[in-house]
Amino acid sequence: MAETLLNPIETLSTLDADGLSFRPWRPAAILQLAAWSEESAAALATWERGVFGAAVAEAGATLTAGGLRLWPVAPWRRLLIAEAETTLPDLPAEVAAVPCTGGFVGLRLDGPRSRDLLAKLAAVDLHPDMLAEGDFATARLEHVRVHLQRAGADAFDLLLPVSYAEFTLGALADGALEFGARIDLLHRPTPPQESPRAFSLK
């Protein structure tokens, strides 16, 4: 039960609406990689070439190798995403690696209306000329910072911060109403309130 409360997307029922579908997306592991110096950044680039065949700076976009994806979230920072049954590669000692699988929940948005839905809520240009298949962006979606990748012509993979997942899913559900969508979300009970404590000023 506690896991469900922390991961509301697990309560998201498979939804098929008019040109729109929602599916939970469950990466096996998510690591945040960070370099902190020129030497560390060089080690990160060398590792990227060894694993993906190119460095992010050279590719100018995301990198993919088998079930691994590398998203450039900031200068010298990456999200390494491993799909199910994918083994994480060895990481260079010069690069910080922080497990953050539990910090995100994943959502796969698919269908010809998926771009229409995201365009209403996310502050990012989703035109294929600006965000081509495989491209990545970090955007504000109803004031929540989310990571998204165009996974296909009409498909998007989103990583939502777990703390704001229920709110963000609710915003997506509201935006999808015009397409005939209905999403049942988990509504957490109101946290118990502490009794007022008596105190006096002296």
Side-chain angles (χ1 to χ4, degrees):
M1 182 66 178
E3 182 179 353
T4 302
L5 289 174
L6 290 174
N7 192 356
I9 202 167
E10 296 297 338
T11 68
L12 175 66
S13 59
T14 297
L15 170 75
D16 291 298
D18 180 14
L20 187 64
S21 68
F22 290 73
R23 301 285 189 277
W25 171 41
R26 303 178 181 90
I30 304 171
L31 294 179
Q32 180 172 260
L33 310 182
W36 60 84
S37 66
E38 294 289 346
E39 293 77 12
S40 179
L44 177 59
T46 300
W47 173 83
E48 290 171 352
R49 293 188 196 99
V51 174
F52 296 94
V56 163
E58 298 162 352
T62 61
L63 298 175
T64 303
L68 295 173
R69 304 191 214 182
L70 197 67
W71 291 358
V73 295
W76 293 3
R77 290 185 182 272
R78 316 280 188 257
L79 280 184
L80 177 62
I81 301 165
E83 299 289 357
E85 302 180 1
T86 301
T87 302
L88 286 171
D90 293 333
L91 299 168
E94 300 88 348
V95 174
V98 180
C100 53
T101 311
F104 294 100
V105 294
L107 174 67
R108 181 158 289 156
L109 188 57
D110 197 3
R113 305 308 296 268
S114 58
R115 176 184 160 195
D116 296 334
L117 173 60
L118 287 176
K120 296 199 302 181
L121 303 171
V124 61
D125 191 342
L126 298 170
H127 192 279
D129 290 344
M130 299 302 296
L131 193 73
E133 188 171 336
D135 284 355
F136 163 86
T138 297
R140 293 285 176 181
L141 197 157
E142 286 292 282
H143 309 295
V144 177
R145 186 171 180 260
V146 302
H147 302 304
L148 65 90
Q149 182 178 35
R150 192 179 212 116
D154 295 310
F156 298 87
D157 287 343
L158 285 73
L159 287 181
L160 318 174
V162 68
S163 300
Y164 296 98
E166 191 169 9
F167 169 81
T168 311
L169 287 169
L172 287 166
D174 289 343
L177 289 176
E178 68 174 281
F179 310 123
R182 180 179 180 274
I183 304 176
D184 294 323
L185 298 176
L186 172 71
H187 295 283
R188 301 180 190 179
T190 303
Q193 302 295 316
E194 292 186 3
S195 301
R197 296 177 181 174
F199 64 94
S200 60
L201 299 175
K202 295 182 179 179

